[in-house]
Amino acid sequence: LTVVVRLVTEGSVSLVSILGIVGIALAFLLISGLIGTRLAPPLFSAIEWTSRSTGTMIALALAFTLAFAELASLARLAPIVGAFVAGLALGRSRQRERIGRELAPVGHLFIPVFFLQIGIDVDVSSFADGGVLATAAVLVVVATIGKLLSPLGAVGTPGDRWLIGFGMLPRGEVGLIFATIGLQSGVLDPSLYAALLLVVLITTLVTPQLLKVRYAAIRGEVRARAPSPTAEMPAGGWLRLIGGEVELAAIPSPHLALPIALDAAVMVGSAQPSPGLLDWLSEVAKPETHWDRRANLSLLRVVQFGNARSWRFLETVGVLDRVLPELAETIRTRLADPFQLDPMNTHRWALIEELRGVVESRPDLAADYGKLAHPEWLLLAALLVEGLQASESPVATARRIVRRLDLGARAEQEIAGLVEDRDLLWAAASRADGLDEEGVVQLASHLDTPERARALYLLSLASGTDRESWERERLRELHELIQDALANPDLTGLEARNLVGRRKAEAMRLVQRPDLAARIEHAPRAYVLRQDSAAIARQARLLEPLITSSEARVLITPLGDGPGHWLDVAARDRPGLLAAATGVLGGLGLNVSQALVATWPDGAALESFLVSGPQPMPEGDDLVHQIEDNLDRPVTADPLPQVVVVFDDRSSAWHTVCEISGSDRPGLLHAFASTLAAAGIDVQTARVTTADGVALGGFEVTNRSGAKLTETDKERVRTFLAAGGTSRRRSRLGGWIRLAH
């Protein structure tokens, strides 16, 4: 092109000038290519590191390209040559995908303008001119002959010569660029320019038809030469890898196309499909889509071991559209994305790749993955989570896909559950109270099994690789708490869940008020497990409306089948509440044989005591005043040297279990509660029993930070038990008291 332009602009060229032009062109390509490919990577890494504006990268990339185009012009070469070298250089940089993505809108603006300018420059009426048509016909013949002779360079290769020639036939945008340069420089007149445009149009439009005819002929020849199909699998399997190509060992029966295509997809991840394999899969009009065990296993192997090449292969041969049309639609949507420039990225399932990376990066996660009975279900769920993002009802679609694959009811439930709960753990971990017992127990009850909880944890980690390290650590803590809760059937077992639901429903029927029903619905799980429905309804009435921080309510109910009374106290949760209430009861000579305290998320607190003692029972108003007065006093703990205490940090994920034993006596519950309060320890739950004059108790406790007791905390409790003591101010004790018998 440069020689021809020089010839027209200067009138003549000599052999020396032609050699000079060729030398300059070669020198430009070598020098600019070498400098560009070495300069671009560090330059654009520095730009990315130092730039503060997101537009800096794209602006400088465009300037870099235009600069190389200008250098080509200075070397008296076509600017497209310089731009091409710039593209090679930018392609070596680490920022190539970002540059390509952000340059795409520039192309969307200028490429249509380029074609518009071509249309403006051509005189359409010249297409009917005889001279233009004759010139175009000659050029088409010459171009066709040249391209059909080009496959001579493919001698010794298995490719079809006609297919190669037909595939090279079309002239495209580069031809149009050269024609435009020729028109602008005077090399071409309008008639020849119009003839070249006709050549581009004709070769572009006729090529697909020629390829279709030739490919049909090749398939006919292959079909004629092919051996008869067989259903008997050769030794070593239907597929074999020879010379880096995946080939058929024999011609299978058409009904085997689905599992063979899926098996081939795994192998194609690191090899090339042979023409024979592609021809056979294309020849099979519609592979059987009945999902038997073999086809299921083959698909799960694609999910587990396949890559973008595997999925592109399935999409190319038409299998994906017939067996998983939902995923095929997702890939088509990606292909239509103007910012998706890398064709392989359209077939990548990033969540599966992240899941593999997460498992491979840490031994503890690899161990969790190894504990899964069905890791393939997790991978399939990850595929559906990403592949069904645009679906209006991803859970229903996931169920439909699993049913189509005939994996069974359990697989459907597990996979659909993972799709539905894909954001559940991150949402829970992000809440301030996400690691509290009640919320964790609810999550554990919902997830139901350690297998599903473990799978969801791994899926959540894979979807959150961009999160901060402290967020991932909090997610790990949440998972460990869920696993601990699932290991305790008293908290999350089926019997416990059924009992909680039944008691809440019965209590709601007894109250028949929306505000009381809401109070019952949010009642702590441990509290519901230890109360009957009538008591739950009674205590809900006492708690509503929500009490203020300066008051209390008391309800005394006779025990129907024996001596004693239930004494219920409603208050706002505060430190030292247990010690204050038990101190009043002990002062009145009332013996506490059972006790329960529950706290609601809105701060409502309930204390319920089974008491016996002098008759008649004291008035409720007197009890209220005495309890409120007690809350304002320091806590005094008497020595309890006869009480033996043992601490256990393994029995609960949230609390230290404090086991006590000692001679039973009146006021023992208050004495030990005062010891804990004075030591700055919060009681979460408690169980106290008496047998043969020996009191046995189990208290679940935390320190002021809400964590398990440290060795310092435990030693302080032992000190107060041995010598007693008094807290400075009860308000400094901190924490929430939730005592339950």
Side-chain angles (χ1 to χ4, degrees):
L1 176 65
T2 302
V3 171
V4 174
V5 171
R6 192 80 58 85
L7 178 64
V8 172
T9 55
E10 298 182 1
S12 64
V13 290
S14 64
L15 178 61
V16 174
S17 65
I18 292 175
L19 293 176
I21 293 169
V22 174
I24 290 173
L26 290 174
F28 175 81
L29 288 172
L30 290 173
I31 296 174
S32 64
L34 181 63
I35 294 175
T37 53
R38 291 182 177 272
L39 174 65
L43 173 63
F44 282 91
S45 292
I47 291 171
E48 183 180 44
W49 178 259
T50 58
S51 63
R52 297 184 178 180
S53 170
T54 55
T56 302
M57 178 71 69
I58 181 60
L60 294 181
L62 188 58
F64 184 85
T65 305
L66 296 176
F68 271 76
E70 179 63 21
L71 288 175
S73 295
L74 293 177
R76 306 188 72 179
L77 298 172
I80 187 177
V81 177
F84 174 73
V85 173
L88 290 176
L90 292 174
R92 297 287 296 274
S93 69
R94 187 172 56 84
Q95 296 76 25
R96 60 187 180 276
E97 291 188 5
R98 176 184 172 185
I99 293 172
R101 182 175 65 254
E102 295 183 1
L103 265 178
V106 179
H108 297 329
L109 173 64
F110 287 111
I111 291 173
V113 172
F114 167 71
F115 285 105
L116 177 64
Q117 186 61 48
I118 291 174
I120 293 173
D121 290 341
V122 70
D123 181 4
V124 179
S125 62
S126 62
F127 287 163
D129 183 85
V132 171
L133 292 174
T135 302
V138 172
L139 291 176
V140 168
V141 171
V142 172
T144 302
I145 292 175
K147 294 302 183 182
L148 293 180
L149 290 176
S150 64
L152 293 175
V155 173
T157 68
D160 182 77
R161 308 295 188 273
W162 288 103
L163 277 180
I164 295 173
F166 291 155
M168 295 181 66
L169 186 58
R171 264 67 176 161
E173 63 275 6
V174 176
L176 294 175
I177 291 172
F178 281 7
T180 303
I181 294 173
L183 180 65
Q184 294 173 348
S185 62
V187 174
L188 305 178
D189 59 26
S191 296
L192 188 53
Y193 179 72
L196 288 176
L197 290 186
L198 278 175
V199 172
V200 171
L201 289 172
I202 291 170
T203 55
T204 301
L205 294 175
V206 75
T207 296
Q209 303 306 316
L210 293 174
L211 289 172
K212 184 177 180 180
V213 170
R214 180 56 189 164
Y215 192 66
I218 291 174
R219 284 192 298 177
E221 295 172 3
V222 171
R223 190 184 305 114
R225 297 194 305 266
S228 301
T230 177
E232 185 176 350
M233 184 174 64
W238 290 108
L239 300 169
R240 57 189 178 187
L241 187 62
I242 299 179
E245 287 191 342
V246 182
E247 296 184 350
L248 286 170
I251 301 301
S253 297
H255 74 276
L256 298 173
L258 177 57
I260 291 176
L262 295 170
D263 291 339
V266 177
M267 300 177 68
V268 166
S270 58
Q272 293 290 338
S274 69
L277 174 62
L278 293 174
D279 289 341
W280 179 73
L281 287 174
S282 301
E283 177 66 21
V284 179
K286 286 190 177 181
E288 295 286 339
T289 55
H290 174 68
W291 289 91
D292 55 15
R293 177 173 174 79
R294 177 178 176 184
N296 288 338
L297 293 175
S298 297
L299 175 64
L300 294 175
R301 288 186 69 250
V302 176
V303 175
Q304 192 165 7
F305 302 110
N307 55 24
R309 289 171 53 87
S310 305
W311 293 101
R312 189 177 185 186
F313 169 79
L314 292 175
E315 192 254 345
T316 301
V317 298
V319 171
L320 194 61
D321 248 322
R322 288 190 284 268
V323 298
L324 292 172
E326 299 86 356
L327 301 186
E329 181 60 31
T330 298
I331 290 176
R332 282 192 289 270
T333 302
R334 292 176 178 177
L335 288 169
D337 183 358
F339 298 102
Q340 185 63 263
L341 302 180
D342 186 348
M344 292 307 294
N345 279 341
T346 60
H347 296 78
R348 288 181 62 240
W349 301 110
L351 189 55
I352 293 180
E353 295 180 7
E354 294 289 357
L355 182 58
R356 293 171 181 163
V358 162
V359 170
E360 293 170 0
S361 64
R362 287 172 46 182
D364 58 327
L365 299 180
D368 280 332
Y369 185 80
K371 292 177 183 177
L372 295 176
H374 294 281
E376 68 277 6
W377 292 356
L378 169 59
L379 292 167
L380 184 55
L383 173 67
L384 297 180
V385 165
E386 184 176 359
L388 302 178
Q389 283 181 342
S391 174
E392 294 182 359
S393 53
V395 177
T397 306
R399 287 186 177 277
R400 186 167 61 250
I401 290 174
V402 177
R403 282 196 294 268
R404 185 190 313 150
L405 301 180
D406 196 23
L407 294 177
R410 184 184 169 200
E412 177 187 339
Q413 187 67 23
E414 294 296 320
I415 294 171
L418 291 174
V419 174
E420 182 176 15
D421 296 335
R422 56 192 178 276
D423 301 320
L424 180 64
L425 293 187
W426 280 122
S430 65
R431 295 198 304 268
D433 61 348
L435 305 186
D436 289 354
E437 179 179 8
E438 190 65 26
V440 170
V441 170
Q442 289 179 1
L443 276 176
S445 299
H446 170 72
L447 294 175
D448 192 47
T449 64
E451 169 94 357
R452 185 175 174 190
R454 190 172 291 112
L456 185 60
Y457 169 60
L458 293 172
L459 183 64
S460 301
L461 278 178
S463 66
T465 53
D466 58 339
R467 292 183 180 259
E468 299 290 340
S469 58
W470 67 267
E471 292 180 288
R472 294 194 295 272
E473 179 62 22
R474 187 170 171 85
L475 185 73
R476 183 192 63 78
E477 292 179 18
L478 176 61
H479 173 244
E480 290 178 353
L481 291 173
I482 290 173
Q483 290 293 347
D484 287 341
L486 287 170
N488 186 351
D490 291 338
L491 287 177
T492 57
L494 180 60
E495 183 177 347
R497 296 200 301 270
N498 292 340
L499 181 59
V500 169
R502 186 170 65 251
R503 283 185 176 171
K504 284 185 176 182
E506 292 172 353
M508 289 178 187
R509 283 196 296 269
L510 291 174
V511 296
Q512 294 185 346
R513 273 175 47 187
D515 57 337
L516 300 182
R519 175 66 62 190
I520 294 170
E521 177 62 31
H522 294 94
R525 183 183 186 84
Y527 159 76
V528 176
L529 286 171
R530 294 178 175 90
Q531 289 284 72
D532 58 42
S533 55
I536 295 171
R538 179 187 78 228
Q539 292 156 357
R541 295 188 185 97
L542 183 65
L543 290 167
E544 287 295 327
L546 183 62
I547 204 164
T548 66
S549 58
S550 60
E551 62 176 342
R553 300 189 191 115
V554 172
L555 176 65
I556 300 174
T557 306
L559 188 63
D561 55 353
H565 293 76
W566 280 109
L567 195 153
D568 300 327
V569 180
R572 290 298 288 270
D573 186 38
R574 66 180 74 185
L577 188 58
L578 173 62
T582 55
V584 170
L585 299 180
L588 295 173
L590 297 174
N591 183 43
V592 178
S593 56
Q594 293 185 34
L596 179 148
V597 174
T599 303
W600 273 252
D602 61 358
L606 171 74
E607 292 184 323
S608 184
F609 305 96
L610 180 58
V611 299
S612 59
Q615 300 293 332
M617 288 290 293
E619 295 292 333
D621 290 342
D622 293 339
L623 288 172
V624 169
H625 295 316
Q626 292 185 53
I627 291 172
E628 291 177 347
D629 290 343
N630 243 15
L631 283 170
D632 296 329
R633 298 173 184 169
V635 176
T636 299
D638 296 328
L640 295 173
Q642 74 279 15
V643 172
V644 178
V645 61
V646 177
F647 297 101
D648 178 9
D649 290 314
R650 297 172 299 176
S651 299
S652 171
W654 298 270
H655 317 123
T656 295
V657 176
C658 177
E659 300 282 353
I660 68 166
S661 61
S663 300
D664 185 31
R665 64 175 176 83
L668 181 61
L669 174 60
H670 169 67
F672 190 72
S674 298
T675 297
L676 294 176
I681 306 302
D682 294 332
V683 178
Q684 307 299 327
T685 66
R687 297 173 302 279
V688 179
T689 60
T690 302
D692 299 328
V694 177
L696 302 173
F699 295 76
E700 292 186 352
V701 298
T702 61
N703 59 21
R704 295 175 181 178
S705 301
K708 292 183 177 182
L709 303 192
T710 64
E711 290 303 319
T712 302
D713 296 327
K714 296 173 185 177
E715 187 58 36
R716 189 164 57 250
V717 172
R718 295 187 184 101
T719 299
F720 273 87
L721 280 174
T726 302
S727 66
R728 294 180 181 179
R729 291 177 57 89
R730 179 165 286 120
S731 59
R732 294 175 58 87
L733 295 181
W736 288 355
I737 297 175
R738 303 185 188 91
L739 175 69
H741 175 69

